[in-house]
Amino acid sequence: MQADKPLHKLRTIDREIQLLTHTATLLQWDQETGMPPKAIMERSEQIALIEGLVHDRMTAPEVGDMLREAGFSSSGGIQIDGDDDKQIDRGFLRAFGRVYERAVKTPRRLVTEMARTVSQAQAAWVEARKRDDFSHFEPHLTRIIALVSEKAEAIGYPEQPYDALLDEFEPGMLTSQVKPVFETLRLQLTKLVEKIVSLQTADDAFRYRTYPEELQKQFSLRVLREMGYDFERGRLDESAHPFTTSLGRDDIRVTTHYQEEDLLSALFSTIHEGGHALYEMGIDPKYHDSSLGEGTSLGVHESQSRTWENLIGRHPRFWRYYFPILKKEYFPDQLTDVDELSFIRGINKVEPSLIRIYADEVTYSLHIILRFELELALISGDLQVGDLPGVWNEMMQKLLKCTPPTNAKGVLQDVHWSMGAIGYFPTYALGNLYGAQFLNTMRTQMPDMDDRLARGELGAIREWQHEHIHRHGSLFTAPELCRRITGEELKPDHFITYLEEKFRVLYDV
Amino acid sequence: MQADKPLHKLRTIDREIQLLTHTATLLQWDQETGMPPKAIMERSEQIALIEGLVHDRMTAPEVGDMLREAGFSSSGGIQIDGDDDKQIDRGFLRAFGRVYERAVKTPRRLVTEMARTVSQAQAAWVEARKRDDFSHFEPHLTRIIALVSEKAEAIGYPEQPYDALLDEFEPGMLTSQVKPVFETLRLQLTKLVEKIVSLQTADDAFRYRTYPEELQKQFSLRVLREMGYDFERGRLDESAHPFTTSLGRDDIRVTTHYQEEDLLSALFSTIHEGGHALYEMGIDPKYHDSSLGEGTSLGVHESQSRTWENLIGRHPRFWRYYFPILKKEYFPDQLTDVDELSFIRGINKVEPSLIRIYADEVTYSLHIILRFELELALISGDLQVGDLPGVWNEMMQKLLKCTPPTNAKGVLQDVHWSMGAIGYFPTYALGNLYGAQFLNTMRTQMPDMDDRLARGELGAIREWQHEHIHRHGSLFTAPELCRRITGEELKPDHFITYLEEKFRVLYDV
């Protein structure tokens, strides 16, 4: 009984923090989707102000006192494994306490300075990419690297500064755990890419015909709806870089980016973001307005988005259902000479290429490994921002055997660094691994998954994800969730096996 | 020197208040333009939280201390008439002090309760109007009337509670000053309407043909651009009820509402909101981020929007330039049998009608007088919300000789009450008066105004407004501004004369 009162007060504070955070998120969403260009200077001040207020709420002295009164000492010590009736309270204490621990160590000045810097850096990145001019973005990125390095030192880390950054997106994961996993991935994927490229007979020329934006939009909306995305609780907009964002417990929006000369980029972006959104939309309402009311880690989040984009969205049976619809109802002229098998092979073409978000699912993780290594070098000081374009291009040649013709198609392609998100990229590759490991379990529990896909029944998949992943929000950590679902720790084997099996069937690789 | 330090601190607080206010405005703008429907409950909490924070900042004890140290005693005592170098400081003290005086008297609970109530009431109003069901809105409006009455008592008033509400929108104006002006207006306008209706030969059937939304939008955007609206500092969206809103010093957005079966409603809404936006966009940057950085009163604001909509936008010479463009480039089929004179007569057709925002400029103020009288009766307690639809219809019959067939076309037509804006409507009619009085001066200073209009030169008009009105923000009060520009107090004569003259020329009335 005694510990209940501080817990209740903490929940009230947490609720206010959620409201403020969602407000800051609207300021950012609007900046990305429709804000008039000259509004950027004040917008960055608005965001800095709200994020400063969040920091103030979070780090008020009484919050520390209440946490202690509620029995919290360190988020590291709390395990949620049983299903007893106190687990939600313990989960809340752990999740809230974890954010508190990071926040109290971060000076307020750094929080508002970072918010202001990234808001302006994002606008500069958009402009730099448009003009293919890295120098327009360089000073912003230099400032961001300095700020996140300062943040890492302020927060502290078990082994190296990058740990503190990675921990924001993938709680508890260490750089030294990621490294060997990525090393295995690099070796296995490089081998697999070579093998597939030498044997495949895919021709994806059809995807680069002209596909009017309006029709792409209608088809994307249809698939999003059939995945189970709730348009009463969200909407689809356009932005330079597709994203998903929560502006409220019942306001989870996705964006995409149409290209008339590419049938698939907007569609797969929409499916990807839809996967993120299903996670957030599926969280049990009892966690709403609290720190438990969001996805547990970005790795698990990416497992959901990348499962929908690739494991489902590029599955031959998915297109057994959707290809006739796409061809007949949307693009009969453009697809007149394309049959189902060539379509499926085409959308699964493996080819080392320049742009991460358009990469096939085999080469994709190599793009991540490149970014991970560059981030490590930037944070350790081994690499200067000014040298980044050159080193990027060298590594692209090494890992993916191609060199970007422009910085817009190279180092400037991603929004993340302009958002101050250093330590974020690894979670995409971890998401591939979580996704394949979860799918492996789902398949044993749902042996008729392929048949359902062929009938366009996406509901059963969403429900399985909802039952095992979505509804829990952040109650379980990523490793706890992985053990609960699959009975194992995370490992790269399932992903590699999945890829080998898929391309064996597609091409007799 | 001694008074400078508190002034500097007050300006810092004021700046933070502006940032928070603009943030709350984005939350509202988004609610009106694109928020998913189920997000409304949390959105109302978000807005309530931010408005509560604004109230906290404004009413912190040190604000009162600083105001006193800076020499402020009451906003009523400060006059800005000369052009000395201290007038900005005095103007700032008056504007900020005025808001402070209202805020300290308003309990915080009332502020957040009001914010929460109106956010939900707006969503309920949209739904009620759609379903033509007043009972769906009634409990919300009842709550709003109770809250604004409580607010009026808390703030206090010179003569009657409605004074406290009117003062929010038209600082210093008393109910007892508005009444006789409206009485004169009612008598004069009723006579004029009768006279015009009996003599006019206008046929506006052409405006109700089918005009595709996309083309209406293109033409609206064109006129808005040529008025001088800066699309780098704003954007045009759609909402149930058109409005203009400032989300930042460089982010002034307008909305409109297209109807394919009406050529003019969206266009004149756009021009109207554009007039508001030019005011906000034209404020001298030295007033940005401060209480001086917005229009000085809603009456003056409406003078700008209604001048653009009617005195310019319905001027025969305006269409000398735009009609051939509209007919040739946009709607050649729909306007094939319409010539310039019948078009001009058509868009100036005077006819008592149901909907305020579509009313002609002669009957328009009668719609306002109706709302003013109903608001007075609601606040005095003489009228209950439940009786409103019936009384509305009776008064429509009395003042405008027509009875709404549905509540959607009657008492539910306007958004204002759902926003808690009681005391707002009178400013529209005051805007008509200010507008005509300002125009009278502009004409003497710019004798070739008509010729410029006929050549599509809207810039000179905007520049005159900028020089005499826009750039000053809230430095001068509405009465001060009126005296500076016209050398007179506000009076209805100029408006009546303007109408008589206009319709004399159009129809030999």
Side-chain angles (χ1 to χ4, degrees), chain A residues 296-369:
Chain A
T296 192
S297 83
L298 285 195
V300 177
H301 238 302
E302 287 297 326
S303 82
Q304 300 308 284
S305 56
R306 300 192 63 73
T307 291
W308 278 100
E309 179 187 351
N310 294 321
L311 314 192
I312 310 294
R314 284 189 163 88
H315 194 295
R317 289 298 176 280
F318 179 89
W319 291 103
R320 169 71 43 90
Y321 179 78
Y322 279 110
F323 181 70
I325 294 170
L326 183 72
K327 181 167 173 172
K328 221 153 98 185
E329 297 180 28
Y330 295 83
F331 302 114
D333 295 342
Q334 294 91 330
L335 296 174
T336 182
D337 58 347
V338 184
D339 62 22
E340 188 188 307
L341 182 62
S342 23
F343 182 81
I344 289 166
R345 286 185 167 171
I347 66 169
N348 281 294
K349 185 177 179 184
V350 175
E351 186 174 40
S353 62
L354 297 171
I355 307 293
R356 176 184 62 83
I357 60 167
Y358 306 144
D360 60 83
E361 53 184 326
V362 186
T363 57
Y364 184 89
S365 299
L366 298 172
H367 290 266
I368 297 306
I369 291 168

Side-chain angles (χ1 to χ4, degrees), chain B residues 31-32 117-127 415 418-419:
Chain B
Q31 175 178 335
E32 292 304 299
T117 302
V118 304
S119 176
Q120 292 168 24
Q122 265 178 278
W125 166 76
V126 171
E127 192 59 28
V415 70
S418 77
M419 293 164 60

Side-chain angles (χ1 to χ4, degrees), chain A residues 15-20 22-23 26-30 33-43 45-47 49-50 53 57 230-235 247-253 289, chain B residues 15-20 22-23 26-30 33-43 45-47 49-50 53 57 230-235 247-253 289:
Chain A
R15 182 154 180 276
E16 197 171 302
I17 289 173
Q18 301 306 319
L19 291 175
L20 285 171
H22 288 154
T23 300
L26 174 63
L27 291 165
Q28 286 151 350
W29 174 86
D30 179 72
T33 55
M35 185 189 73
K38 287 188 179 161
I40 180 63
M41 293 311 289
E42 179 171 337
R43 179 55 51 90
E45 294 297 323
Q46 293 164 352
I47 296 171
L49 177 64
I50 302 294
L53 292 175
R57 291 285 180 291
D230 180 356
F231 284 89
E232 298 241 294
R233 297 176 65 206
R235 46 181 284 147
L247 296 88
R249 59 189 179 234
D250 294 308
D251 193 353
I252 292 127
R253 305 188 191 179
D289 304 325
Chain B
R15 182 155 180 275
E16 197 170 301
I17 289 173
Q18 300 306 318
L19 291 174
L20 285 170
H22 287 154
T23 299
L26 174 63
L27 291 165
Q28 287 151 350
W29 174 86
D30 179 71
T33 54
M35 187 189 71
K38 287 188 179 162
I40 180 63
M41 293 310 289
E42 179 171 338
R43 178 55 51 89
E45 293 298 323
Q46 293 163 353
I47 295 172
L49 177 64
I50 302 293
L53 292 175
R57 292 285 181 292
D230 180 355
F231 284 89
E232 299 241 294
R233 296 176 66 205
R235 44 181 285 146
L247 296 88
R249 58 187 178 236
D250 294 309
D251 192 353
I252 293 126
R253 305 188 190 178
D289 305 324

Side-chain angles (χ1 to χ4, degrees), chain A residues 191-325:
Chain A
K191 260 195 288 181
L192 194 58
V193 171
E194 267 179 37
K195 207 160 139 194
I196 296 171
V197 167
S198 71
L199 290 168
Q200 76 184 348
T201 53
D203 178 3
D204 64 352
F206 66 83
R207 79 178 265 188
Y208 304 108
R209 293 167 184 168
T210 300
Y211 296 90
E213 185 176 316
E214 186 50 36
L215 286 168
Q216 286 196 38
K217 189 171 171 178
Q218 284 173 24
F219 186 69
S220 295
L221 285 167
R222 175 181 188 152
V223 174
L224 197 56
R225 184 166 283 116
E226 291 173 1
M227 286 169 64
Y229 182 89
D230 180 356
F231 284 89
E232 298 241 294
R233 297 176 65 206
R235 46 181 284 147
L236 175 65
D237 291 276
E238 289 173 58
S239 63
H241 199 298
F243 65 90
T244 304
T245 195
S246 293
L247 296 88
R249 59 189 179 234
D250 294 308
D251 193 353
I252 292 127
R253 305 188 191 179
V254 290
T255 71
T256 190
H257 184 75
Y258 300 102
Q259 298 188 58
E260 299 222 318
E261 310 300 313
D262 185 348
L263 170 60
L264 300 173
S265 72
L267 174 65
F268 282 121
S269 288
T270 305
I271 297 176
H272 177 100
E273 302 306 333
H276 282 301
L278 290 184
Y279 191 0
E280 294 289 318
M281 285 179 165
I283 291 171
D284 193 321
K286 73 184 167 196
Y287 301 134
H288 282 170
D289 304 325
S290 108
S291 291
L292 293 179
E294 55 185 18
T296 192
S297 83
L298 285 195
V300 177
H301 238 302
E302 287 297 326
S303 82
Q304 300 308 284
S305 56
R306 300 192 63 73
T307 291
W308 278 100
E309 179 187 351
N310 294 321
L311 314 192
I312 310 294
R314 284 189 163 88
H315 194 295
R317 289 298 176 280
F318 179 89
W319 291 103
R320 169 71 43 90
Y321 179 78
Y322 279 110
F323 181 70
I325 294 170

